[in-house]
Amino acid sequence: MKKLNILCVIFCVVFVSCSKEELEQPIQEQIQLSILEENHTEFVEDLWEAVNAYRVSKGFASLYLESSLPTALAIEHSMKMRSQGRIGHEGFSKRVQALKEAGAESVGENVAYGYTRAEDIVLAWSNSPTHKMVLEGNYTHCGIGVVVDEGGKRYVTQLFFR
């Protein structure tokens, strides 16, 4: 299913033509899907499961993990944080715009750095009022990007949306 989603997005990106009258491409068409290979897949699965376990324990619905655009956006942001050597939400409005162009109604984001266990990230987010609001928000889907620096430290971005 993940491969089918990726192939569909690649097909759309490759075969969508742009006219000269367009001033700029939609953000979702500018994402390089090759960055999906950068994702630390095992840790992504661990975080997705830990977030869903937390949400279910609090009476919230589990999130569906989207493997195409939302994950590509999350990876791209994690890569940017890694290259800057710091975490933050720089460029969040562009990620929101891209997801809204793809049909999202609402978007939230949490980031983390240096954690070795997914459960510890969820614990940290649940102990921070602003991160907890996102963690427990009215969302149905997510995209997760996890990249590792040369020292083995993880940079994590999770986009939440509905």
Side-chain angles (χ1 to χ4, degrees), residues 38 40 43 78 82 146-155:
E38 287 279 332
H40 193 278
F43 198 82
S78 292
R82 177 181 63 189
V146 179
V147 299
V148 181
D149 69 11
E150 291 176 357
K153 301 288 186 184
R154 292 180 179 97
Y155 287 83

Side-chain angles (χ1 to χ4, degrees), residues 49-68:
E49 290 172 3
V51 165
N52 279 338
Y54 173 85
R55 287 178 58 89
V56 168
S57 77
K58 300 296 182 185
F60 300 101
S62 294
L63 302 172
Y64 294 99
L65 180 61
E66 291 287 333
S67 61
S68 55

Side-chain angles (χ1 to χ4, degrees), residues 8-9 12 18 27 44-45 47 51-52 58 67-69 78 83-84 86 99 102 104 129 135-136 161:
C8 288
V9 172
C12 291
C18 299
I27 290 172
V44 167
E45 294 288 328
L47 182 58
V51 165
N52 279 338
K58 300 296 182 185
S67 61
S68 55
L69 176 65
S78 292
S83 72
Q84 295 174 340
R86 61 182 168 83
L99 289 173
L135 188 61
E136 296 180 358
F161 64 99

Side-chain angles (χ1 to χ4, degrees), residues 43 46-47 49-50 115-126:
F43 198 82
D46 292 346
L47 182 58
E49 290 172 3
Y115 289 90
T116 58
R117 292 177 358 106
E119 295 81 4
D120 294 336
I121 293 174
V122 174
L123 180 62
W125 287 345
S126 68

